[in-house]
Coordinates of all heavy atoms in Angstrom, one line a residue:
M1 N -6.6 -7.0 14.3 CA -5.9 -6.2 13.3 C -4.6 -6.9 12.9 O -4.3 -7.0 11.6 CB -5.5 -4.8 13.8 CG -5.1 -3.9 12.8 SD -6.0 -3.7 11.3 CE -7.1 -2.5 11.9
V2 N -3.9 -7.5 13.8 CA -2.7 -8.3 13.5 C -3.0 -9.4 12.4 O -2.2 -9.6 11.4 CB -1.9 -8.8 14.7 CG1 -0.8 -9.6 14.3 CG2 -1.6 -7.6 15.6
G3 N -4.1 -10.1 12.8 CA -4.4 -11.2 11.8 C -4.8 -10.8 10.5 O -4.3 -11.3 9.4
R4 N -5.4 -9.6 10.3 CA -5.7 -9.1 9.0 C -4.4 -8.8 8.2 O -4.2 -9.1 7.0 CB -6.5 -7.8 9.1 CG -7.9 -8.2 9.6 CD -8.8 -7.0 9.6 NE -10.2 -7.3 10.1 CZ -11.2 -6.5 10.3 NH1 -10.9 -5.2 10.1 NH2 -12.3 -6.9 10.7
Y5 N -3.5 -8.1 9.0 CA -2.3 -7.7 8.3 C -1.3 -9.0 7.9 O -0.7 -9.0 6.9 CB -1.4 -6.8 9.2 CG -1.8 -5.4 8.8 CD1 -3.0 -4.8 9.3 CD2 -0.9 -4.4 8.1 CE1 -3.3 -3.5 8.9 CE2 -1.2 -3.2 7.8 CZ -2.4 -2.7 8.2 OH -2.8 -1.4 7.9
E6 N -1.4 -10.0 8.8 CA -0.7 -11.2 8.4 C -1.4 -11.9 7.2 O -0.6 -12.4 6.4 CB -0.9 -12.3 9.6 CG 0.1 -11.8 10.7 CD -0.1 -12.5 12.0 OE1 -1.2 -13.2 12.2 OE2 0.9 -12.5 12.9
R7 N -2.7 -11.9 7.1 CA -3.4 -12.4 5.8 C -2.9 -11.5 4.6 O -2.7 -12.1 3.6 CB -4.8 -12.5 6.0 CG -5.2 -13.7 7.0 CD -6.7 -13.9 7.0 NE -7.6 -12.8 7.2 CZ -7.8 -12.4 8.6 NH1 -7.4 -13.1 9.6 NH2 -8.6 -11.3 8.8
L8 N -2.9 -10.2 4.8 CA -2.5 -9.4 3.6 C -0.9 -9.7 3.3 O -0.6 -9.8 2.1 CB -2.6 -7.9 4.0 CG -4.0 -7.3 4.0 CD1 -3.9 -5.9 4.6 CD2 -4.6 -7.3 2.7
L9 N -0.1 -9.9 4.2 CA 1.2 -10.2 4.0 C 1.4 -11.6 3.3 O 2.3 -11.6 2.5 CB 2.0 -10.2 5.4 CG 3.5 -10.4 5.3 CD1 4.2 -9.4 4.4 CD2 4.1 -10.5 6.6
E10 N 0.5 -12.5 3.5 CA 0.7 -13.7 2.8 C 0.4 -13.7 1.4 O 0.9 -14.4 0.5 CB -0.3 -14.8 3.4 CG 0.0 -15.3 4.8 CD -1.1 -16.1 5.4 OE1 -2.2 -16.4 4.7 OE2 -1.0 -16.5 6.5
R11 N -0.3 -12.6 1.0 CA -0.7 -12.4 -0.4 C -0.1 -11.1 -1.1 O -0.4 -10.8 -2.3 CB -2.2 -12.2 -0.6 CG -3.1 -13.4 0.0 CD -4.4 -13.1 0.2 NE -5.2 -14.3 0.5 CZ -5.3 -14.9 1.7 NH1 -4.5 -14.4 2.7 NH2 -6.0 -16.0 1.9
A12 N 0.7 -10.5 -0.4 CA 1.4 -9.2 -0.8 C 2.4 -9.5 -2.0 O 3.0 -10.4 -2.1 CB 2.2 -8.6 0.4
P13 N 2.3 -8.7 -3.0 CA 3.2 -8.7 -4.1 C 4.6 -8.4 -3.6 O 4.7 -7.7 -2.6 CB 2.7 -7.7 -5.2 CG 1.9 -6.8 -4.4 CD 1.3 -7.6 -3.2
L14 N 5.7 -8.9 -4.2 CA 7.1 -8.7 -3.8 C 7.4 -7.2 -3.8 O 8.2 -6.9 -2.9 CB 8.0 -9.4 -4.8 CG 7.9 -10.9 -4.8 CD1 8.9 -11.4 -5.8 CD2 8.3 -11.4 -3.4
S15 N 6.7 -6.4 -4.6 CA 7.1 -4.9 -4.6 C 6.8 -4.3 -3.3 O 7.5 -3.3 -2.8 CB 6.4 -4.3 -5.6 OG 5.0 -4.3 -5.6
I16 N 5.9 -4.7 -2.4 CA 5.7 -4.1 -1.1 C 5.7 -5.1 0.1 O 5.5 -4.8 1.2 CB 4.2 -3.4 -1.0 CG1 3.1 -4.4 -1.2 CG2 4.1 -2.3 -2.1 CD1 1.8 -3.9 -0.8
E17 N 6.1 -6.3 -0.2 CA 6.2 -7.4 0.8 C 7.0 -7.0 2.0 O 6.6 -7.0 3.2 CB 6.7 -8.8 0.2 CG 6.6 -9.8 1.3 CD 7.1 -11.2 0.6 OE1 8.0 -11.1 -0.3 OE2 6.6 -12.2 1.1
G18 N 8.3 -6.4 1.8 CA 9.2 -6.0 2.7 C 8.5 -5.0 3.7 O 8.6 -5.0 4.9
D19 N 8.0 -3.9 3.0 CA 7.4 -2.9 3.8 C 6.2 -3.3 4.6 O 6.0 -2.8 5.8 CB 7.0 -1.7 2.8 CG 8.2 -1.0 2.2 OD1 9.2 -0.7 3.0 OD2 8.2 -0.6 1.1
L20 N 5.3 -4.2 4.0 CA 4.2 -4.6 4.7 C 4.7 -5.5 5.8 O 4.0 -5.5 7.0 CB 3.2 -5.5 3.7 CG 1.9 -5.8 4.4 CD1 1.1 -4.5 4.8 CD2 1.0 -6.5 3.3
A21 N 5.7 -6.2 5.7 CA 6.2 -7.1 6.8 C 6.7 -6.2 8.0 O 6.5 -6.6 9.2 CB 7.4 -7.9 6.3
V22 N 7.3 -5.0 7.6 CA 7.7 -4.0 8.8 C 6.4 -3.7 9.6 O 6.4 -3.6 10.8 CB 8.5 -2.9 8.2 CG1 8.6 -1.8 9.3 CG2 9.8 -3.3 7.7
L23 N 5.2 -3.3 8.9 CA 4.1 -2.8 9.5 C 3.5 -4.0 10.2 O 3.0 -3.8 11.3 CB 3.1 -2.3 8.5 CG 3.6 -1.1 7.8 CD1 2.5 -0.6 6.7 CD2 4.0 0.1 8.6
T24 N 3.4 -5.2 9.7 CA 2.8 -6.4 10.4 C 3.6 -6.6 11.7 O 2.9 -6.8 12.8 CB 2.8 -7.5 9.4 OG1 2.1 -7.2 8.2 CG2 2.1 -8.7 10.1
D25 N 4.9 -6.6 11.6 CA 5.7 -6.9 12.7 C 5.4 -5.9 13.9 O 5.3 -6.1 15.1 CB 7.1 -6.9 12.4 CG 8.1 -7.3 13.5 OD1 7.7 -8.2 14.3 OD2 9.0 -6.4 13.9
L26 N 5.3 -4.5 13.4 CA 5.0 -3.4 14.4 C 3.7 -3.5 15.0 O 3.6 -3.3 16.3 CB 5.1 -2.1 13.5 CG 5.1 -0.8 14.3 CD1 6.3 -0.7 15.4 CD2 5.1 0.4 13.5
L27 N 2.6 -4.0 14.2 CA 1.4 -4.1 14.9 C 1.4 -5.3 15.9 O 0.8 -5.2 17.0 CB 0.3 -4.5 13.8 CG -0.1 -3.2 13.0 CD1 -1.0 -3.8 11.9 CD2 -0.9 -2.2 13.9
A28 N 2.2 -6.4 15.6 CA 2.2 -7.5 16.5 C 3.0 -7.0 17.8 O 2.5 -7.3 18.9 CB 3.1 -8.6 15.9
Q29 N 4.1 -6.3 17.7 CA 4.7 -5.7 18.8 C 3.8 -4.8 19.8 O 3.8 -4.9 20.9 CB 6.0 -4.9 18.5 CG 7.1 -5.7 17.8 CD 8.2 -4.9 17.5 OE1 8.6 -4.0 18.2 NE2 8.8 -5.2 16.3
A30 N 3.0 -4.0 19.0 CA 2.1 -3.1 19.8 C 1.0 -3.8 20.5 O 0.7 -3.4 21.5 CB 1.5 -2.1 18.7
S31 N 0.6 -4.9 19.9 CA -0.4 -5.7 20.5 C 0.1 -6.4 21.8 O -0.8 -6.8 22.7 CB -1.1 -6.8 19.7 OG -0.1 -7.9 19.4
K32 N 1.4 -6.5 22.0 CA 1.9 -7.1 23.1 C 2.7 -6.3 24.1 O 3.0 -6.8 25.1 CB 2.8 -8.3 22.6 CG 2.3 -9.4 21.8 CD 3.3 -10.3 21.3 CE 2.6 -11.2 20.2 NZ 3.6 -12.0 19.5
V33 N 2.7 -5.0 23.8 CA 3.6 -4.2 24.6 C 3.0 -4.0 26.0 O 1.6 -3.8 26.1 CB 3.8 -2.8 24.0 CG1 2.6 -2.0 23.9 CG2 4.9 -2.1 24.6
N34 N 3.7 -3.9 27.1 CA 3.2 -3.6 28.3 C 3.2 -2.1 28.6 O 4.3 -1.5 28.6 CB 4.1 -4.3 29.4 CG 3.8 -3.9 30.9 OD1 2.8 -3.3 31.1 ND2 4.4 -4.5 31.8
T35 N 2.0 -1.4 28.5 CA 2.0 -0.1 28.6 C 2.5 0.5 29.9 O 2.7 1.7 29.9 CB 0.5 0.4 28.4 OG1 -0.4 -0.3 29.3 CG2 0.1 0.0 26.9
A36 N 2.7 -0.3 30.9 CA 3.1 0.2 32.1 C 4.7 0.3 32.1 O 5.3 1.0 33.0 CB 2.8 -0.7 33.3
D37 N 5.3 -0.4 31.1 CA 6.7 -0.4 31.0 C 7.1 0.8 30.1 O 7.0 0.7 28.8 CB 7.2 -1.7 30.4 CG 8.7 -1.8 30.3 OD1 9.4 -0.9 30.5 OD2 9.2 -2.9 29.9
T38 N 7.5 1.9 30.6 CA 7.9 3.1 29.8 C 9.0 2.9 28.8 O 9.0 3.4 27.6 CB 8.2 4.3 30.7 OG1 9.3 3.9 31.6 CG2 7.1 4.7 31.5
T39 N 9.9 2.0 29.0 CA 11.0 1.7 28.3 C 10.5 1.0 27.1 O 10.9 1.2 25.9 CB 12.2 0.9 29.0 OG1 12.6 1.6 30.2 CG2 13.2 0.5 28.1
A40 N 9.6 0.0 27.2 CA 9.0 -0.7 26.1 C 8.1 0.1 25.3 O 8.2 0.1 24.0 CB 8.2 -1.9 26.7
V41 N 7.4 1.1 25.9 CA 6.6 2.0 25.1 C 7.5 2.9 24.3 O 7.2 3.1 23.1 CB 5.6 2.8 26.0 CG1 4.9 3.9 25.3 CG2 4.6 2.0 26.8
Q42 N 8.6 3.4 24.8 CA 9.5 4.3 24.1 C 10.1 3.5 22.9 O 10.2 4.1 21.9 CB 10.5 4.8 25.0 CG 11.5 5.8 24.3 CD 10.6 7.0 23.7 OE1 10.0 7.6 24.4 NE2 10.8 7.2 22.4
K43 N 10.4 2.3 23.1 CA 11.1 1.4 22.1 C 10.1 1.2 21.0 O 10.5 1.4 19.8 CB 11.5 0.0 22.7 CG 12.2 -0.8 21.6 CD 12.6 -2.2 22.3 CE 13.4 -3.0 21.2 NZ 12.7 -4.2 20.9
L44 N 8.8 1.0 21.4 CA 7.9 0.8 20.3 C 7.6 2.1 19.6 O 7.5 2.2 18.3 CB 6.5 0.3 20.9 CG 5.4 0.1 19.9 CD1 5.7 -0.9 18.9 CD2 4.0 -0.1 20.6
A45 N 7.6 3.3 20.2 CA 7.5 4.6 19.6 C 8.6 4.9 18.7 O 8.4 5.2 17.5 CB 7.5 5.6 20.7
D46 N 9.8 4.6 19.1 CA 11.0 4.6 18.1 C 10.9 3.8 16.9 O 11.2 4.2 15.7 CB 12.3 4.4 18.9 CG 12.5 5.3 20.0 OD1 12.0 6.4 20.0 OD2 13.4 4.9 20.9
E47 N 10.4 2.5 17.1 CA 10.3 1.6 15.9 C 9.2 2.2 15.1 O 9.2 1.9 13.9 CB 10.0 0.2 16.4 CG 11.3 -0.4 17.0 CD 11.1 -1.8 17.5 OE1 10.1 -2.4 17.2 OE2 12.0 -2.2 18.3
T48 N 8.1 2.8 15.6 CA 7.0 3.3 14.8 C 7.5 4.5 13.9 O 7.2 4.6 12.7 CB 6.0 3.8 15.7 OG1 5.5 2.8 16.5 CG2 4.8 4.4 15.0
Y49 N 8.4 5.3 14.4 CA 9.0 6.4 13.7 C 9.9 5.8 12.6 O 9.9 6.3 11.4 CB 9.8 7.4 14.5 CG 8.9 8.3 15.2 CD1 8.9 8.3 16.7 CD2 8.0 9.2 14.7 CE1 8.1 9.2 17.5 CE2 7.2 10.0 15.4 CZ 7.2 10.1 16.8 OH 6.5 10.8 17.5
A50 N 10.6 4.8 12.9 CA 11.5 4.1 11.9 C 10.8 3.4 10.8 O 11.3 3.3 9.7 CB 12.4 3.2 12.5
A51 N 9.4 3.0 11.0 CA 8.7 2.4 10.1 C 7.9 3.3 9.2 O 7.1 2.9 8.3 CB 7.7 1.4 10.8
N52 N 8.1 4.6 9.3 CA 7.3 5.6 8.6 C 7.4 5.5 7.1 O 6.4 5.5 6.4 CB 7.6 7.0 9.1 CG 6.7 8.0 8.4 OD1 5.5 8.0 8.6 ND2 7.3 8.9 7.7
Q53 N 8.6 5.2 6.6 CA 8.8 5.1 5.1 C 8.1 3.9 4.6 O 7.5 4.0 3.6 CB 10.3 5.1 4.8 CG 10.6 5.4 3.4 CD 10.1 6.8 2.9 OE1 10.3 7.8 3.7 NE2 9.5 6.8 1.8
S54 N 8.2 2.8 5.4 CA 7.4 1.6 4.9 C 6.0 1.8 4.8 O 5.3 1.4 4.0 CB 7.8 0.4 5.9 OG 9.1 -0.1 5.8
A55 N 5.5 2.6 5.9 CA 4.0 2.8 5.9 C 3.6 3.7 4.8 O 2.6 3.4 4.2 CB 3.7 3.6 7.2
L56 N 4.5 4.7 4.4 CA 4.2 5.4 3.2 C 4.2 4.7 1.9 O 3.3 4.9 1.1 CB 5.1 6.6 3.1 CG 5.1 7.7 4.2 CD1 6.2 8.8 4.1 CD2 3.7 8.4 4.3
H57 N 5.1 3.8 1.8 CA 5.2 3.0 0.5 C 4.0 2.1 0.5 O 3.4 2.0 -0.6 CB 6.5 2.1 0.6 CG 7.7 2.8 0.3 ND1 9.1 2.2 0.8 CD2 8.1 3.9 -0.2 CE1 9.9 3.1 0.5 NE2 9.3 4.1 -0.1
V58 N 3.6 1.5 1.5 CA 2.5 0.5 1.6 C 1.2 1.4 1.2 O 0.3 1.0 0.3 CB 2.2 -0.2 2.8 CG1 0.9 -1.0 2.9 CG2 3.4 -1.2 3.0
R59 N 1.1 2.5 2.0 CA -0.1 3.4 1.6 C -0.3 3.8 0.1 O -1.3 3.7 -0.4 CB 0.0 4.6 2.6 CG -1.3 5.6 2.4 CD -1.0 7.0 2.7 NE 0.0 7.5 1.9 CZ 0.6 8.6 2.2 NH1 0.4 9.4 3.2 NH2 1.6 9.2 1.3
D60 N 0.8 4.3 -0.3 CA 0.9 4.8 -1.7 C 0.5 3.5 -2.8 O -0.2 3.7 -3.7 CB 2.1 5.4 -2.1 CG 2.4 6.8 -1.3 OD1 1.3 7.2 -0.8 OD2 3.6 7.2 -1.3
W61 N 1.2 2.4 -2.5 CA 0.9 1.2 -3.3 C -0.5 0.8 -3.5 O -1.2 0.6 -4.4 CB 1.8 0.1 -3.0 CG 1.7 -1.1 -4.0 CD1 2.4 -1.2 -5.0 CD2 0.7 -2.1 -3.9 NE1 2.0 -2.4 -5.8 CE2 1.0 -3.0 -5.0 CE3 -0.2 -2.4 -3.1 CZ2 0.2 -4.0 -5.4 CZ3 -1.1 -3.7 -3.3 CH2 -0.8 -4.4 -4.4
I62 N -1.1 0.7 -2.1 CA -2.5 0.4 -2.1 C -3.5 1.4 -2.7 O -4.4 1.1 -3.4 CB -2.9 0.1 -0.5 CG1 -2.2 -1.2 -0.2 CG2 -4.5 -0.1 -0.4 CD1 -2.4 -1.5 1.4
K63 N -3.2 2.7 -2.4 CA -4.0 3.8 -3.0 C -3.9 3.7 -4.5 O -4.9 3.8 -5.2 CB -3.6 5.0 -2.4 CG -4.6 6.2 -2.6 CD -4.3 7.3 -1.9 CE -5.4 8.5 -2.1 NZ -5.1 9.6 -1.3
S64 N -2.7 3.5 -5.1 CA -2.7 3.6 -6.5 C -3.1 2.3 -7.1 O -3.6 2.4 -8.4 CB -1.2 3.8 -7.0 OG -0.3 2.8 -6.7
T65 N -3.0 1.2 -6.5 CA -3.4 0.0 -7.1 C -4.8 -0.4 -6.9 O -5.5 -0.9 -7.8 CB -2.5 -1.2 -6.6 OG1 -1.2 -0.9 -6.8 CG2 -2.9 -2.6 -7.2
C66 N -5.3 -0.1 -5.6 CA -6.6 -0.6 -5.3 C -7.7 0.5 -5.2 O -8.8 0.4 -4.8 CB -6.5 -1.3 -3.9 SG -5.4 -2.6 -3.9
A67 N -7.2 1.9 -5.2 CA -8.0 3.0 -5.0 C -8.6 3.0 -3.6 O -9.7 3.4 -3.4 CB -9.2 3.1 -6.1
V68 N -7.9 2.5 -2.6 CA -8.4 2.5 -1.3 C -7.3 3.2 -0.4 O -6.1 3.0 -0.6 CB -8.4 1.1 -0.7 CG1 -8.7 1.1 0.7 CG2 -9.6 0.3 -1.4
D69 N -7.8 4.1 0.4 CA -6.7 4.8 1.3 C -6.8 4.3 2.7 O -7.7 4.5 3.5 CB -7.2 6.3 1.4 CG -6.1 7.3 2.1 OD1 -5.2 6.6 2.7 OD2 -6.3 8.3 2.1
I70 N -5.9 3.4 3.0 CA -5.9 2.7 4.4 C -5.5 3.7 5.4 O -5.7 3.3 6.6 CB -4.9 1.4 4.3 CG1 -3.5 1.8 4.1 CG2 -5.4 0.4 3.4 CD1 -2.6 0.7 4.4
S71 N -4.8 4.8 5.1 CA -4.4 5.7 6.2 C -5.6 6.5 6.8 O -5.4 7.0 7.9 CB -3.4 6.6 5.8 OG -3.9 7.4 4.8
T72 N -6.8 6.4 6.2 CA -7.9 7.1 6.7 C -9.0 6.2 7.0 O -10.1 6.6 7.1 CB -8.3 8.1 5.8 OG1 -8.7 7.5 4.5 CG2 -7.3 9.3 5.5
G73 N -8.8 5.0 7.4 CA -9.9 4.0 7.9 C -10.5 3.3 6.7 O -11.8 3.1 6.9
L74 N -9.8 3.0 5.7 CA -10.4 2.2 4.6 C -11.4 3.0 3.8 O -12.3 2.5 3.2 CB -10.9 1.0 5.0 CG -9.9 0.0 5.7 CD1 -10.6 -1.3 6.2 CD2 -8.8 -0.4 4.7
N75 N -11.3 4.4 3.7 CA -12.2 5.1 2.9 C -11.9 4.9 1.5 O -10.7 4.9 1.0 CB -12.1 6.7 3.2 CG -12.6 7.0 4.6 OD1 -13.5 6.3 5.1 ND2 -12.0 8.0 5.3
I76 N -12.9 4.6 0.7 CA -12.6 4.4 -0.7 C -12.5 5.7 -1.4 O -13.4 6.6 -1.3 CB -13.7 3.5 -1.3 CG1 -13.7 2.1 -0.7 CG2 -13.4 3.3 -2.8 CD1 -14.7 1.2 -1.1
D77 N -11.5 5.9 -2.3 CA -11.4 7.2 -3.0 C -12.4 7.1 -4.2 O -13.0 6.0 -4.5 CB -9.9 7.1 -3.7 CG -8.8 7.5 -2.8 OD1 -9.2 7.9 -1.7 OD2 -7.7 7.3 -3.2
P78 N -12.6 8.2 -4.7 CA -13.5 8.3 -5.9 C -13.2 7.4 -7.0 O -11.9 7.2 -7.1 CB -13.5 9.8 -6.3 CG -12.9 10.5 -5.2 CD -12.1 9.5 -4.4
P79 N -14.1 6.7 -7.6 CA -13.7 5.9 -8.7 C -12.8 6.4 -9.7 O -13.0 7.6 -10.1 CB -15.0 5.3 -9.3 CG -16.1 5.9 -8.3 CD -15.5 6.9 -7.5
R80 N -11.9 5.6 -10.1 CA -11.0 6.1 -11.3 C -11.7 5.7 -12.6 O -12.3 4.7 -12.6 CB -9.6 5.3 -11.1 CG -8.9 5.8 -9.8 CD -7.6 5.1 -9.7 NE -7.9 3.7 -9.4 CZ -7.1 2.6 -9.3 NH1 -5.9 2.8 -9.7 NH2 -7.4 1.4 -9.0
V81 N -11.4 6.6 -13.5 CA -12.0 6.4 -14.8 C -10.8 5.8 -15.7 O -9.8 6.2 -15.8 CB -12.6 7.7 -15.5 CG1 -13.0 7.4 -16.8 CG2 -13.5 8.3 -14.6
A82 N -11.3 4.6 -16.3 CA -10.3 4.0 -17.1 C -9.9 4.9 -18.4 O -10.9 5.4 -18.9 CB -10.8 2.6 -17.5
T83 N -8.7 4.8 -18.7 CA -8.3 5.5 -19.9 C -8.5 4.7 -21.0 O -8.2 3.4 -21.0 CB -6.8 6.0 -19.8 OG1 -6.0 4.9 -19.6 CG2 -6.7 6.9 -18.6
T84 N -8.8 5.2 -22.1 CA -8.9 4.5 -23.4 C -7.7 4.7 -24.3 O -7.3 5.8 -24.3 CB -10.2 4.9 -24.1 OG1 -10.1 6.3 -24.5 CG2 -11.5 4.6 -23.3
T85 N -7.3 3.7 -24.9 CA -6.2 3.9 -25.8 C -6.7 3.7 -27.2 O -7.2 2.7 -27.6 CB -5.1 2.8 -25.5 OG1 -4.7 2.8 -24.1 CG2 -3.9 3.0 -26.4
V86 N -6.4 4.7 -28.0 CA -6.9 4.7 -29.4 C -5.7 4.8 -30.3 O -4.8 5.7 -30.0 CB -7.9 5.8 -29.7 CG1 -8.2 5.8 -31.1 CG2 -9.1 5.8 -28.7
A87 N -5.6 4.0 -31.3 CA -4.3 4.0 -32.1 C -4.4 5.4 -32.9 O -5.5 5.9 -33.3 CB -4.4 2.9 -33.1
P88 N -3.3 6.1 -32.9 CA -3.3 7.4 -33.6 C -3.5 7.2 -35.1 O -3.1 6.3 -35.7 CB -1.9 7.9 -33.3 CG -1.1 6.7 -33.1 CD -2.0 5.6 -32.4
E89 N -4.2 8.2 -35.6 CA -4.4 8.2 -37.1 C -3.1 8.5 -37.9 O -2.4 9.4 -37.3 CB -5.5 9.2 -37.5 CG -6.9 8.8 -37.0 CD -7.9 9.7 -37.6 OE1 -7.7 10.4 -38.7 OE2 -8.9 10.0 -36.9
T90 N -2.8 7.8 -38.8 CA -1.7 8.3 -39.7 C -2.1 8.9 -40.9 O -3.0 8.5 -41.6 CB -0.9 7.0 -40.1 OG1 -1.9 6.0 -40.7 CG2 -0.2 6.3 -38.8
V91 N -1.7 10.1 -41.0 CA -2.0 11.0 -42.1 C -1.1 10.8 -43.3 O 0.2 10.9 -43.0 CB -2.0 12.5 -41.6 CG1 -2.4 13.4 -42.8 CG2 -2.9 12.6 -40.5
G92 N -1.7 10.6 -44.4 CA -0.8 10.6 -45.6 C -0.1 9.3 -45.9 O 0.7 9.2 -46.8
T93 N -0.4 8.3 -45.1 CA 0.3 7.0 -45.3 C -0.6 5.9 -46.0 O -0.2 4.8 -46.2 CB 0.9 6.5 -44.0 OG1 -0.2 6.2 -43.0 CG2 1.9 7.4 -43.5
T94 N -1.9 6.2 -46.0 CA -2.8 5.2 -46.7 C -2.6 5.3 -48.2 O -2.6 6.4 -48.8 CB -4.3 5.4 -46.3 OG1 -4.7 6.8 -46.5 CG2 -4.5 5.2 -44.8
S95 N -2.6 4.2 -48.8 CA -2.6 4.2 -50.3 C -4.0 3.8 -50.8 O -4.7 2.9 -50.2 CB -1.5 3.2 -50.7 OG -1.7 1.9 -50.3
V96 N -4.2 4.4 -51.8 CA -5.5 4.1 -52.5 C -5.1 3.2 -53.9 O -4.3 3.6 -54.6 CB -6.2 5.3 -53.0 CG1 -7.4 5.1 -53.8 CG2 -6.4 6.3 -51.9
P97 N -5.8 2.0 -53.9 CA -5.4 1.2 -55.0 C -5.8 2.0 -56.4 O -6.7 2.7 -56.5 CB -6.3 0.0 -54.9 CG -7.2 0.2 -53.8 CD -6.8 1.6 -53.1
S98 N -4.9 1.8 -57.4 CA -5.1 2.5 -58.6 C -5.8 1.6 -59.5 O -5.8 0.4 -59.4 CB -3.7 3.0 -59.2 OG -2.9 1.8 -59.4
K99 N -6.6 2.2 -60.5 CA -7.4 1.4 -61.4 C -6.7 1.1 -62.7 O -5.9 1.8 -63.3 CB -8.8 2.1 -61.7 CG -9.6 2.1 -60.5 CD -10.9 2.5 -60.9 CE -11.9 2.6 -59.7 NZ -13.2 2.9 -60.0

């Protein structure tokens, strides 16, 4: 999982790069924590709570940009329907050539 997030971080747009770096670092720390060390586990828990806002930013960006909800195990949201843009009709501004 850490490797996947590191690859995502390499390609992340600047708008979420900082937040994704926080999550990637957190995952790397979690992968190395000694679960027998209660102080280390508590420190990781505290850092996890501190990273919540970054997690929300990344989740929202990915969901709105890619239509994927990473918070629920990569479930794909229902497809979004593209909106069409039609130029508004202008009433009373067309001129008819005179004879």
Side-chain angles (χ1 to χ4, degrees):
M1 185 60 77
V2 174
R4 289 180 182 181
Y5 270 72
E6 286 171 343
R7 288 191 300 277
L8 285 172
L9 183 57
E10 290 172 4
R11 293 163 179 80
L14 292 175
S15 60
I16 63 160
E17 184 178 33
D19 290 319
L20 190 58
V22 168
L23 298 181
T24 303
D25 183 53
L26 188 61
L27 285 172
Q29 290 177 46
S31 71
K32 298 173 186 171
V33 73
N34 177 359
T35 56
D37 182 354
T38 57
T39 304
V41 171
Q42 184 59 54
K43 181 178 183 243
L44 182 63
D46 293 343
E47 290 180 16
T48 301
Y49 286 117
N52 186 56
Q53 196 61 46
S54 291
L56 294 175
H57 287 158
V58 171
R59 181 202 64 192
D60 293 345
W61 185 90
I62 291 174
K63 194 169 185 178
S64 69
T65 305
C66 308
V68 173
D69 186 354
I70 64 168
S71 66
T72 58
L74 300 176
N75 293 328
I76 299 174
D77 283 347
R80 293 175 290 174
V81 178
T83 58
T84 56
T85 305
V86 178
E89 289 186 32
T90 48
V91 179
T93 59
T94 55
S95 60
V96 178
S98 59
K99 292 186 178 184

